Amino acid sequence: MSINNSTTAYARKALPTNSYGLLWGFLGVAAFSFTVPLTRFVVLNEGMSALFAGTGRAVIAAGLAAVALFATHQRRPNRRESISVTVVALGAVIGFPLLTSYASVSTPASHSAVIIAILPATTAVIAAVRTRVYPPKLFWIATFLGALSAIGFALIQNEGSTDLHAGDLLLLAAVLLCALSYAEGGIASKTLGSWQTISWGLIFSMPVMLPLTAFAIASSTFQATPIQWVAFGYLSLVSMFLGFFAWYRGLAIGPMPQVSQIQLIQPILSIFWAAVLLSEEITARTIIGSIIVIAFSLIAIRVKNQAIEPTQ
């Protein structure tokens, strides 16, 4: 089949905006809710290094992505899509896994889940800027208060210290990079396709992730138990690959603000899995902190739905 020079040659059939977007988004969030607890689990007791946990899963997922793209004869991203895919690679494939892996070495999964709870609102902010949609002032106020609440929670949890721990700073950076990739990935998915977007993002990340994985293997002494390797397999197959199929398809079907709102349940699920899988104690401060952060994020995303497209 030949490809025309017209830009419409790259356009896919418009996806219907309906409840299917919410369903796909929920499936993605459910898959991602295991990511933080399992990342914490695989690095416990020096089972595997944080570097390998963050990079190795991307390499495995990229291999699967290459097979899927080749087997289904998918086209390469065009120039505009390549920019978005590069952002996906930097944020969702390189930044978030690496930063959260290093944070997990010293930070309980339930604590991390509360900090990461500001991700939906952060995604909404970047999506607003990226799509040139102007939300009301309440949106920005709620987003600011949500971020402030997450930082306040981290400070309170740090046993009275007035400084953020290194793990908290890594998590905040991970949130920013992931939000950038989610917003760009949602836009690219509209023309490139949902699973194609993350697949190309994985492949685009290989010049960075392959050397880092090789270094991690050469410099690490692996002591992981069989169950830790199973958890690593989940991170590689689901967290880094299949989960994005559902998530980016949900964002592509949209509308993006409503679908991104589903992500508010992710920290709740992650905290639950941390208690079940890691036997972490869920304190009253953790519960209150998560409620406050999620509440502000919910307000921000709901208000953003009232945003008005700028006139041309």
Side-chain angles (χ1 to χ4, degrees), residues 9 11 27 31 41 59 97 122 151 171 180-181 187 196 204 218 223 227 242 266 277 302:
L27 291 175
F41 178 69
V59 172
T122 307
I151 294 172
L171 290 169
L180 282 166
S181 69
I187 293 170
Q196 293 91 335
F204 276 32
Q223 304 178 40
I227 192 64
L242 296 180
Q266 184 172 327
L277 301 176
R302 283 192 176 277

Side-chain angles (χ1 to χ4, degrees), residues 70-255:
F70 178 79
T72 56
H73 306 287
Q74 298 297 315
R75 66 171 178 83
R76 292 179 60 85
N78 61 30
R79 182 177 299 180
R80 179 176 297 179
E81 292 165 344
S82 293
I83 295 174
S84 294
V85 169
T86 300
V87 175
V88 170
L90 292 174
V93 182
I94 298 175
F96 189 83
L98 273 174
L99 294 172
T100 54
S101 292
Y102 277 102
S104 294
V105 173
S106 59
T107 306
S110 56
H111 178 99
S112 300
V114 176
I115 305 300
I116 295 174
I118 64 174
L119 178 57
T122 307
T123 302
V125 169
I126 294 173
V129 175
R130 180 67 178 82
T131 59
R132 302 198 323 179
V133 174
Y134 300 95
K137 291 182 180 180
L138 181 57
F139 166 82
W140 303 103
I141 294 173
T143 301
F144 173 77
L145 291 177
L148 199 62
S149 298
I151 294 172
F153 166 79
L155 292 174
I156 292 172
Q157 289 287 87
N158 290 344
E159 300 177 353
S161 172
T162 57
D163 296 323
L164 291 172
H165 286 179
D168 297 320
L169 295 176
L170 291 174
L171 290 169
L172 291 172
V175 165
L176 179 59
L177 288 175
C178 194
L180 282 166
S181 69
Y182 280 177
E184 285 295 330
I187 293 170
S189 294
K190 292 181 180 295
T191 56
L192 185 59
S194 53
W195 70 268
Q196 293 91 335
T197 297
I198 185 58
S199 294
W200 284 113
L202 286 162
I203 291 173
F204 276 32
S205 74
M206 285 304 96
V208 174
M209 299 305 252
L210 268 175
L212 288 177
T213 300
F215 175 80
I217 293 174
S219 60
S220 300
T221 301
F222 293 94
Q223 304 178 40
T225 63
I227 192 64
Q228 283 179 305
W229 282 112
V230 170
F232 177 76
Y234 180 94
L235 293 173
S236 303
L237 179 62
V238 181
S239 294
M240 288 300 299
F241 192 52
L242 296 180
F244 282 101
F245 278 41
W247 179 242
Y248 279 138
R249 180 163 180 81
L251 290 176
I253 294 174

Side-chain angles (χ1 to χ4, degrees), residues 59-72:
V59 172
I60 294 174
L64 297 173
V67 171
L69 290 169
F70 178 79
T72 56

